Amino acid sequence: MKPTRRGVLFVISAPSGGGKSTLLNLLKPTRDFVYSISCTTRPPRPGEENGREYYFVSPEEFEHRVQVGDFLEHARVHNHRYGTLRETVMQNLDAGDDVLIDVDVQGAAAIRHNAGGEIQQSLVDVFLMPASLQELRRRLLKRGTENSEQLELRLRNAVAEMAEWPSYRYVVLSGEPDEDLVNFRAIMTAERMRSHRLKFSGE
Ligand code: 5GP
C-alpha cells in the first residue's frame, strides 16, 4: 500500500546567528524537499549567489512583486525586505512535494494566519532556539558578515524573536550542528507520517 499525500510545508525560524544556516546546509544535500528561495532587497554577502541563497532584487522590483501578489508573505527584517514566492510553495505542495522555507517570526505568523485552509493543513512550523544570547553574539562575530551597527540590530531583534517560540508547533534547542540535524529530521519523519495527510489508493 503506497499512500499519496499533499506536500508538507516546513517553516523554520531562528534569530540571526542561531544555527539556522548551518542546519539548512546540512539538510539541503538530501533532496527530499524543495527549498523555497526567497526574494530580498538585502545586498548579497560575499560568497552568496543570486538564485541560490536568495533572489537579490531591487526595492522597486520587490514592491512590484508585492503589488502583483507574488508573495505568500513578505516582511521587513533588519531594515531589508524579504518575501516568499507563492507559486513555488503552492505548486510543489499541490504536486505532493514537501517545501522548506526559512522565514522570520513575522513571516511564520503571516503563514499561520493565511486564510487558505490548504496551507494550515500543510504547515509545520519549527523554532530553532539558540543556546543563549552570548552564543548568538559569538556566532555572529565569528561569521563576520555584519558591521557592528548591524550586529547590534540583529541581537536586539533576536530578543524579540525568541519571545515568539510558543507560537510554533516545535522548538528545537540548538546544540551541535549534528544534533540539530537529527532533531529536525525527526520532526520531518514524524510529520510525513501523520495519518490526516495520507490517502491510500482506492479510498
Ligand atoms: P539573512 O539576511 O540573515 O539571510 O536573513 C535575515 C532574516 O530574514 C532571517 O530571520 C530569515 O529567516 C528571514 N527571512 C529570509 N527569507 C525570508 C522571507 O522570505 N520572509 C520572511 N518573512 N523572512 C525571511
Side-chain angles (χ1 to χ4, degrees):
M1 292 282 270
K2 193 174 175 339
T4 55
R5 61 171 175 82
R6 213 178 131 67
V8 183
L9 177 60
F10 294 104
V11 172
I12 182 163
S13 301
S16 196
K20 188 175 48 180
S21 309
T22 309
L23 174 59
L24 291 177
N25 286 335
L26 291 173
L27 282 165
K28 279 181 191 170
T30 313
R31 299 198 164 270
D32 57 357
F33 59 86
V34 174
Y35 179 72
S36 163
I37 300 165
S38 295
C39 288
T40 183
T41 61
R42 161 168 87 60
R45 296 182 183 129
E48 286 184 333
E49 261 179 43
N50 190 36
R52 193 179 63 195
E53 285 80 9
Y54 287 105
Y55 297 112
F56 296 99
V57 299
S58 66
E60 293 74 25
E61 182 179 344
F62 194 98
E63 184 53 32
H64 171 73
R65 285 177 171 274
V66 171
Q67 295 304 328
V68 299
D70 274 359
F71 294 129
L72 185 62
E73 64 73 38
H74 61 92
R76 185 175 288 279
V77 192
H78 317 312
N79 290 337
H80 298 291
R81 301 185 81 181
Y82 296 80
T84 305
L85 289 166
R86 183 190 303 276
E87 202 172 291
T88 313
V89 173
M90 299 313 290
Q91 277 184 355
N92 283 294
L93 294 182
D94 288 345
D97 293 326
D98 299 336
V99 178
L100 175 63
I101 64 172
D102 160 4
V103 296
D104 81 315
V105 294
Q106 304 169 73
I111 288 170
R112 233 174 263 132
H113 299 119
N114 186 289
E118 49 203 337
I119 287 275
Q120 320 298 342
Q121 290 276 315
S122 303
L123 177 64
V124 175
D125 47 356
V126 183
F127 191 83
L128 184 63
M129 181 65 100
S132 66
L133 280 174
Q134 288 85 332
E135 177 61 13
L136 269 193
R137 178 183 290 275
R138 195 188 64 75
R139 289 200 207 172
L140 281 173
L141 281 171
K142 189 171 155 216
R143 191 166 83 184
T145 50
E146 272 74 32
N147 64 32
S148 62
E149 193 186 320
Q150 287 163 350
L151 187 133
E152 291 309 324
L153 173 68
R154 281 175 181 252
L155 283 172
R156 274 199 308 279
N157 290 345
V159 177
E161 286 168 357
M162 283 156 74
E164 294 299 316
W165 67 264
S167 307
Y168 288 74
R169 183 178 296 173
Y170 295 99
V171 176
V172 170
L173 297 178
S174 184
E176 293 302 317
D178 289 357
E179 292 167 354
D180 293 358
L181 179 65
V182 167
N183 288 329
F184 195 82
R185 278 286 174 200
I187 293 169
M188 291 183 99
T189 303
E191 284 288 346
R192 286 169 167 158
M193 294 181 198
R194 300 271 305 266
S195 58
H196 76 84
R197 301 191 195 289
L198 308 179
K199 262 200 162 66
F200 288 93
S201 57
E203 271 190 334

